[in-house]
Each structure stands twice: as structure tokens, then as C-alpha cells.
């Protein structure tokens, strides 16, 4: 091996060492970012659980409305069957409150549905991106 070849090898090694040191710096930084991303994922999971609690609350309201419909229909039928058409003010008051709750539930349902669709689409997109980048 000539002196020039040895010099060239040393030069290539110094260049490669600078390059690999830079790569190691990148890798350490990326791994730290992975740890941060895992913490963010925990926050995302917590937010999803929070959204699920909101959906559970909304479900309770919807189920209560469904029960009201059945009970109110029964009360109307009983009023009609009595043949006297008793005072309907209690039925009217209950129905007015039902309509107010139904209108709010309708808006909440639309808002929750849109938010849900957006968030799930983002999570699916992120998962697809991360799975594709893992190759």
C-alpha cells in the first residue's frame, strides 16, 4: 500500500467519521422526538376518552328522549281513551320541554358527529402514515 493510499484512507475515514457523528446526532434527536410523540399519543388517548365520555352523556340524553316519546305517546293515548279529553296543559308543558331538549340534542348530535368524523379521519391518516413510514 502506498503512502498516498494510506493518506486517502485516513481522509475518507475522517470524512466518514464526521458523517456518522452527524447521523448519530440525528438519531438521538429523532429518538427524543419519538419519546415526545409517545407522550403526545397519551394526550391523544386521553382526549379520545374525554370525547367518549361526551358521547356517553349525549347517549343518555338521547335515550331519555326516546323514553319520553314512549311515555308521552302513552299519556296522549290514555287522555284520548278517557273520552273526556282532560286538561292537556301538563301534556303541552311536557311536550314543549321535550321539543327544547330535542332541538339542543339535534345540534349537539350534529356537532359531535362532525367532530368525531374529523378526529377519526386524522387518527386513521396518522396511523396509515406511520405504518407506511416504518418500512
Amino acid at each position: 500500500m502506498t503512502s498516498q493510499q494510506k493518506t486517502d484512507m485516513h481522509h475518507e475515514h475522517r470524512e466518514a467519521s464526521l458523517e456518522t457523528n452527524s447521523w448519530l446526532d440525528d438519531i438521538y434527536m429523532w429518538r427524543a422526538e419519538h419519546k415526545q410523540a409517545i407522550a403526545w399519543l397519551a394526550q391523544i388517548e386521553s382526549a379520545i376518552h374525554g370525547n367518549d365520555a361526551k358521547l356517553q352523556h349525549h347517549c343518555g340524553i338521547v335515550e331519555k328522549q326516546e323514553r319520553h316519546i314512549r311515555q308521552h305517546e302513552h299519556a296522549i293515548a290514555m287522555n284520548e281513551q278517557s273520552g273526556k279529553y282532560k286538561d292537556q296543559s301538563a301534556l303541552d308543558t311536557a311536550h314543549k320541554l321535550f321539543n327544547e331538549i330535542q332541538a339542543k340534542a339535534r345540534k349537539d348530535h350534529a356537532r359531535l358527529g362532525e367532530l368525531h368524523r374529523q378526529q377519526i379521519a386524522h387518527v386513521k391518516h396518522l396511523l396509515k402514515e406511520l405504518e407506511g413510514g416504518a418500512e
Side-chain angles (χ1 to χ4, degrees), residues 23 34 42 117:
W23 292 345
H34 281 175
R117 284 184 290 278

Side-chain angles (χ1 to χ4, degrees), residues 20-97:
T20 56
N21 284 333
S22 174
W23 292 345
L24 288 171
D25 288 344
D26 287 344
I27 291 167
Y28 296 143
M29 180 180 64
W30 295 340
R31 293 194 70 208
E33 290 173 343
H34 281 175
K35 288 178 184 176
Q36 178 62 59
I38 289 168
W40 290 334
L41 288 173
Q43 289 177 303
I44 291 169
E45 182 180 11
S46 177
I48 291 170
H49 285 297
N51 288 343
D52 193 58
K54 290 175 188 172
L55 289 178
Q56 187 174 355
H57 176 74
H58 179 61
C59 185
I61 292 168
V62 171
E63 288 171 342
K64 186 175 179 182
Q65 286 295 91
E66 186 62 30
R67 282 190 305 276
H68 173 85
I69 292 168
R70 287 191 306 274
Q71 292 167 354
H72 203 239
E73 284 294 315
H74 179 72
I76 293 168
M78 294 305 292
N79 184 283
E80 288 177 2
Q81 282 181 0
S82 71
K84 299 177 187 173
Y85 292 95
K86 299 177 185 174
D87 179 27
Q88 284 191 220
S89 63
L91 290 174
D92 293 342
T93 301
H95 191 70
K96 182 180 180 200
L97 179 59

Side-chain angles (χ1 to χ4, degrees), residues 113-124:
E114 182 60 28
L115 183 63
H116 172 80
R117 284 184 290 278
Q118 289 173 357
Q119 290 175 342
I120 294 301
H122 287 310
V123 170
K124 283 181 180 178

